[in-house]
């Protein structure tokens, strides 16, 4: 009998708040982890030190479909995490510098779908774990939520196995990047949801309250190998189970 193939993870967005924790969690569980960092990242050396200390391989393949497909065909990941996302502030800063577009269409949709297509081109069938957001929908009021819906729809129409995860706020005191508005929003909404929960609205509280990156990463890494999560949409309440 042949030995089962080892779990191999490819983490896109590895440098982000969630991505770092996914790399750490997957390494801790003994998976072979390839942490993708964009080659022009100003923090590349620091990311390399951090990820290699955990036992991960650092990948710096450029964001080009052919190059990604070629590397994915070599690595043959069994789970691919798509944890990329920009912000309006980052998009504005990129435009000011004259850098390539870095808005939701270019990053959240464009790079995520490039990764998905590159997996197909590589002839591999990893579980594609996509970090969407609670509120994604075709008629959502924000471009951010509509972008997430567009990616979700493409995954549903495609051939790769996938799991869509829709958290509410991803927030915690350990977030390095300063995002005051998001942190205040999460704190206020968690406080209100605590009251709702105490008044008997536990289901509403669990659906909308924030989750920190370490808890989210535990769930993502478990879901990636859970047969029942193939083709599933998992929202915040189930992420804590
Ligand atoms: N924060 C929330 O409350 C929340 C809630 C629900 C869903 N989400 C979604 O969940 C995902 C992860 O969230 P997070 O808070 O962990 O994200 P994050 O900390 O902002 O990290 C974003 C990741 O995307 C990469 N990225 C951004 N712009 C890029 C570009 N132009 N080219 C290549 N890579 C780029 C970043 O790489 P660099 O480090 O190189 O910039 C980083 O690895 C995002 O899609 C986010 O929209 C977030």
């Amino acid at each position: 009998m042949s030995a089962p193939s080892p779990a191999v993870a490819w983490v896109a967005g590895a440098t982000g708040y969630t991505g770092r924790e996914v790399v750490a969690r997957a390494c801790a569980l003994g998976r072979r982890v390839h942490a993708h960092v964009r080659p022009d990242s100003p923090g590349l050396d620091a990311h390399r030190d951090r990820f290699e200390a955990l036992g991960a391989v650092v990948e710096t393949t450029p964001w080009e479909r052919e190059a990604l497909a070629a590397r994915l065909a070599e690595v043959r990941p069994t789970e691919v995490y798509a944890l990329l996302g920009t912000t309006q502030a980052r998009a504005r800063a990129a435009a000011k510098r004259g850098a390539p577009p870095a808005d939701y269409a270019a990053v959240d949709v464009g790079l995520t779908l490039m990764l998905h297509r590159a997996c197909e081109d590589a002839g591999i069938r990893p579980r594609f774990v996509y970090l969407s957001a609670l509120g994604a929908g075709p008629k959502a009021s924000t471009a951010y939520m509509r972008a997430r819906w567009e990616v979700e729809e493409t995954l549903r129409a495609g051939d790769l196995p996938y799991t869509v995860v829709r958290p509410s706020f991803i927030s915690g005191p350990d977030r390095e990047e300063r995002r005051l508005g998001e942190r205040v929003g999460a704190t206020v909404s968690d406080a209100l949801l605590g009251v709702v929960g105490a008044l008997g609205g536990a289901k509403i509280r669990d659906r909308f309250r924030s989750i920190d990156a370490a808890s989210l990463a535990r769930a993502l890494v478990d879901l990636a190998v859970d047969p029942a999560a193939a083709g599933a949409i998992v929202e915040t309440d189930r992420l804590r189970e």
Side-chain angles (χ1 to χ4, degrees):
M1 202 169 66
S2 61
S5 42
V8 181
W10 178 284
V11 185
T15 58
Y17 179 51
T18 310
R20 291 171 190 209
E21 293 295 337
V22 167
V23 172
R25 179 68 180 165
C27 285
L29 291 176
R31 302 196 193 156
R32 287 197 344 231
V33 180
H34 294 253
H36 185 265
V37 181
R38 48 172 146 174
D40 58 342
S41 167
L44 180 56
D45 289 343
H47 293 311
R48 194 183 290 286
D49 288 350
R50 171 198 286 249
F51 291 139
E52 288 183 351
L54 293 169
V57 174
V58 172
E59 299 286 347
T60 55
T61 314
W63 276 104
E64 294 161 14
R65 181 169 162 182
E66 276 186 23
L68 274 176
R71 184 60 187 144
L72 287 163
E74 289 169 355
V75 172
R76 304 200 76 74
T78 54
E79 52 208 73
V80 168
Y81 297 86
L83 314 174
L84 298 152
T86 189
T87 60
Q88 287 177 327
R90 284 188 212 161
R92 278 194 299 271
K96 218 170 166 181
R97 290 195 307 274
D103 54 10
Y104 298 134
V107 177
D108 300 41
V109 180
L111 297 187
T112 302
L113 294 187
M114 183 193 293
L115 179 64
H116 189 252
R117 287 187 201 107
C119 290
E120 292 175 336
D121 293 349
I124 55 173
R125 283 184 58 76
R127 176 76 64 82
F128 197 91
V129 180
Y130 171 55
L131 195 47
S132 181
L134 195 65
K139 295 194 176 141
S141 58
T142 62
Y144 172 82
M145 291 298 181
R146 290 193 298 275
R148 293 194 138 56
W149 179 256
E150 184 180 342
V151 174
E152 288 190 11
E153 283 285 86
T154 307
L155 302 191
R156 284 188 273 274
D159 288 333
L160 293 188
Y162 67 86
T163 299
V164 168
V165 176
R166 288 182 181 165
S168 175
F169 279 116
I170 308 170
S171 187
D174 54 337
R175 179 159 210 142
E176 284 176 13
E177 190 186 7
R178 224 176 127 70
R179 292 197 191 188
L180 197 56
E182 205 170 277
R183 185 83 198 108
V184 170
T187 306
V188 170
S189 106
D190 284 349
L192 292 173
L193 287 165
V195 176
V196 171
L199 294 174
K203 276 194 175 166
I204 297 177
R205 177 198 61 204
D206 294 347
R207 183 166 150 79
F208 290 103
R209 77 181 158 161
S210 70
I211 187 165
D212 64 80
S215 307
L216 178 57
R218 275 197 296 278
L220 292 171
V221 169
D222 287 350
L223 288 166
V225 294
D226 179 356
I233 296 177
V234 182
E235 298 192 338
T236 317
D237 42 356
R238 276 190 54 210
L239 292 173
R240 278 178 245 272
E241 280 170 8

